[in-house]
Each structure stands twice: as structure tokens, then as C-alpha cells.
Amino acid sequence: MGAGSVGGYVGGCLQAAGAEVHFVGRPRTLEAWQAHGLRVTDQDGRDQTVPPGALKLSASVPDGLAPSLVVLTVKCGATREAAAALGAALPAGTPVLSLQNGLGNAEAGAEAAPGLRWLAGMVPYNIAEVGPGHLHRGTGGQLAAEDDPAVRAWLPAFEAARLRLKLHADLRPVQWGKLLLNLNNAINALSGRPLRAELMERGYRQVFAALQREALAALAAAGIEPAQVAAVAPRRMPILLSLPDWLFHRVAKRMLRIDPQARSSMADDLALGRRTEVDALCGEVVRLARSHGLQAPLNERIQALIEAWPQQPGPLAPAELKARLGWR
Ligand SMILES: NC(=O)c1ccc[n+]([C@@H]2O[C@H](COP(=O)([O-])OP(=O)(O)OC[C@H]3O[C@@H](n4cnc5c(N)ncnc54)[C@H](OP(=O)(O)O)[C@@H]3O)[C@@H](O)[C@H]2O)c1
């Protein structure tokens, strides 16, 4: 539900491995898939195509569908509307796994469609549409989901599809671990550069580290220990990010194993004038900090910069970004 980068990649891999998948998405996306088929590739050599004739595509949730698992892959701002559409069309109790960023999607879904069973999930890697109907995973990692019988039943299909999926009794620490990494999305969007090129620049990394420090302070105040989602433990990440370029380029080789063209999808959202997920990321840090008597001023300011984007002159170089944030 929400056939785009994540839905197309995960669904395409599953279908290429023999699973029955039904994609619900926007006509502009589905028309491209119908014309070109759905091709999924990754940095480990995957290259599979589901031909147009084998794709089941629709612009709304078809009546009479009774899936054993729904994977929700809309952007955070679209969760409630998509959840309501699912709730109106699917049998009560249908499990829905949110493979979205941020923390509150399963809860928002449950409010909009209380009859369905809502489960939290996490996608650690970057997926981009690199051509019509062609989705490419440009970084590594393993999917995560709440441990539930409905997801457990799908483990063999995920394994056959070479989609590594780890189940967790409590996904919250994993979601926070991912959110700490997603704090770079806003910086990446404002930089106007591909992810790898942006991370090669110490000025951007210093801002990223500062956003993480604010988040880590709020998490410590809340008694939440974020899980390690990347190659480095969350509390060591700001130290690593702050290293001088020559040293960072040497010690962060695994972190920099990113395809040169990979970008945060927030950059695309800005370019296309769409609503971004900044409130579900930086905004979540600001709310957690406030609820524990703290402030997260840099997260607050970068959220304001993203939300004011149409009034911005264009991509910001590291020094310009720092100046806009009132960096001292
Ligand atoms: N892409 C990545 O690298 C990546 C990695 C990790 C996590 N994530 C997270 O995964 C989630 C999905 O991201 P994405 O990049 O896959 O987004 P995406 O490419 O924009 O795909 C979502 C698609 O769902 C459509 N949609 C929204 N509401 C719908 C509805 N009610 N019915 C049918 N289709 C609907 C959207 O259309 P509209 O544009 O018209 O709304 C869009 O085409 C986000 O939370 C994101 O942060 C993404």
C-alpha cells in the first residue's frame, strides 16, 4: 500500500521470488511500471524484473482482497488517509506492517483504522527510483519488524527474496536508532548533493552530529537506549562524524559504502514541492526533548528551514547552512 520506492523494491523482490503481491499506488507510478515492468537492483548485484503482464496493480484497495500481510509504504504524512482506505476495504484483523520512517505510523494507522492489526517495521537502507519502473537499493542493512505471527509466517518468503528481516520484541529502540540516522535527511536535502558527496564534507557532518547530540540527550532523559542500526553505535556516531575529512574518509569506509547517486528522498520532496517528513524526524526529537524539559534548537531550526524551502535561494554550502542555523 503506497507503491513507490520502498513498496516497489520490497514488493518487487518478494514477487520475483514467487510471492503473490498486489500493489496499490498512484496512477503515475503504476503506469510507468505497466509500461516498463518492475526492475529491482541493488549494490550486491541483484537485477530482477517482474514483467508488466505479471504485475497486479491498482489505484485503490480492491474489494474482496484478503491479504495475509499488508506492507504500508506511504510517506508519514499520508499514513492516516492510506490507513482509512485499508480499514474500509480489508477484513477486520488484517495485519499491516508499516515499513516507514519515524515513530508514530503504526499508532496513527491504528487510530484511523482500529479494526486492522498494526505492526511497526523499519527499513535501514536507501532505495531510489533510478529510471521508470527501476528501483535501486544503494546502501545495506537488514529490515526490522515487530515480532508477530503474521510477519513470522512471511519470513520464508522474505528469505527466498534475499530480504534480510530481523524480528524484535520491542521495535521502539530500533526506530529511534533509525531516526538518529534520518536526521541527516534534512541536511542532505538542503545540501543539494548526493548522500555520499554530502557526507564527505565535514561541515555537513558537524551539523548532523549536532542534531544527533540533541536527540541523544533527549533519549537519555527519556531513558531510551537507541539500537545500533548502522555500522557504528549511536553514541559513537557524533564523534565519528566530527572527525576531520582525511581521518573520516579512512575510518568510515563502511558508512561511505553508498552508491554515488543515492540521495535522501527528502531532497526529491523539496524539488517537487511535496510535503516532507521533517516533522516526523527532527520534529519528533524536538517533542521528545520538550517533554523532558530540554530543548533541541538545531533540530527545530533545521525543520523550519525545510518547511520554508520554497523561499530559500537554493542548495546551501556547509558554511551557509551553519550560518542559517545560527551555528556557534
Ligand atoms: N526511499 C528510501 O530510501 C527509504 C528508506 C527507508 C525508509 N523510507 C521510508 O519509507 C516510507 C516510504 O518512502 P518511499 O521513498 O517509498 O516513498 P514514495 O516513493 O513517495 O512512495 C510512496 C507512494 O505512495 C503513494 N501514496 C500515498 N498515499 C497513497 C494512497 N492513499 N493510496 C495509494 N498510494 C498512495 C505516494 O503518492 P503521493 O506522492 O501522491 O503521496 C507515493 O507514490 C517513508 O516513510 C520513508 O521515509 C524510505
Side-chain angles (χ1 to χ4, degrees):
M1 178 64 177
S5 301
V6 172
Y9 181 78
V10 172
C13 292
L14 286 168
Q15 185 165 350
E20 187 183 342
V21 182
H22 194 115
F23 296 91
V24 181
R26 301 297 193 201
R28 64 171 188 278
T29 306
L30 303 183
E31 279 158 19
W33 296 7
Q34 196 57 69
H36 301 271
L38 178 57
R39 182 176 173 204
V40 284
T41 57
D42 68 25
Q43 55 173 194
D44 300 318
R46 179 197 298 271
D47 192 346
Q48 296 168 301
T49 300
V50 182
L55 289 167
K56 290 182 186 159
L57 310 171
S58 59
S60 58
V61 188
D63 286 335
L65 204 66
S68 57
L69 182 68
V70 177
V71 180
L72 181 68
T73 56
V74 298
K75 291 275 173 62
C76 299
T79 296
R80 281 171 197 276
E81 196 186 317
L86 290 169
L90 298 179
T94 301
V96 185
L97 174 63
S98 150
L99 282 187
Q100 300 164 278
N101 280 332
L103 285 131
N105 290 293
E107 289 77 2
E111 275 173 31
L116 306 181
R117 198 156 91 250
W118 289 89
L119 304 165
M122 188 278 299
V123 180
Y125 33 71
N126 180 271
I127 302 157
E129 187 184 3
V130 292
H134 178 185
L135 302 171
H136 180 75
R137 169 168 73 73
T139 59
Q142 61 182 353
L143 299 168
E146 250 180 280
D147 195 353
D148 178 273
V151 185
R152 222 164 240 270
W154 269 82
L155 278 181
F158 275 75
E159 200 173 317
R162 287 179 281 132
L163 290 168
R164 291 191 298 139
L165 169 62
K166 189 170 177 202
L167 302 184
H168 297 258
D170 178 10
L171 203 72
R172 202 95 315 206
V174 176
Q175 290 177 300
W176 272 112
K178 178 70 199 299
L179 191 143
L180 287 170
L181 304 178
N182 285 137
L183 294 178
N184 186 48
N185 294 11
I187 304 167
N188 181 252
L190 293 168
S191 78
R193 303 181 195 199
L195 266 175
R196 192 170 193 283
E198 175 236 315
L199 286 171
M200 297 291 270
E201 287 271 350
R202 188 180 190 211
Y204 291 129
R205 293 197 311 275
Q206 286 174 315
V207 176
F208 185 11
L211 296 182
Q212 287 197 337
R213 283 197 186 96
E214 288 184 355
L216 287 165
L219 285 166
I224 300 168
E225 189 59 51
Q228 180 171 341
V229 173
V232 183
R235 292 194 184 277
R236 294 176 62 96
M237 184 78 87
I239 303 165
L240 178 74
L241 290 170
S242 306
L243 292 175
D245 283 336
W246 67 270
L247 191 52
F248 179 78
H249 298 172
R250 255 188 224 178
V251 299
K253 283 213 173 75
R254 232 174 103 191
M255 189 175 170
L256 286 171
R257 195 172 168 248
I258 307 172
D259 282 0
Q261 76 271 28
R263 286 151 58 95
S264 145
S265 65
M266 197 179 288
D268 300 332
D269 292 338
L270 282 192
L272 297 168
R274 293 190 301 218
R275 179 168 48 167
T276 73
E277 293 185 309
V278 73
D279 185 60
L281 304 173
C282 300
E284 197 71 49
V285 174
V286 173
R287 287 187 285 277
L288 184 72
R290 281 198 190 136
S291 67
H292 291 84
L294 299 173
Q295 300 289 318
L298 288 174
N299 277 281
E300 208 167 324
R301 276 183 225 140
I302 208 151
Q303 178 173 356
L305 276 183
I306 292 282
E307 286 171 350
W309 181 253
Q311 283 85 54
Q312 299 295 325
L316 300 175
E320 285 175 286
L321 176 60
K322 285 180 173 176
R324 295 293 185 97
L325 294 173
W327 183 274
R328 270 171 290 145

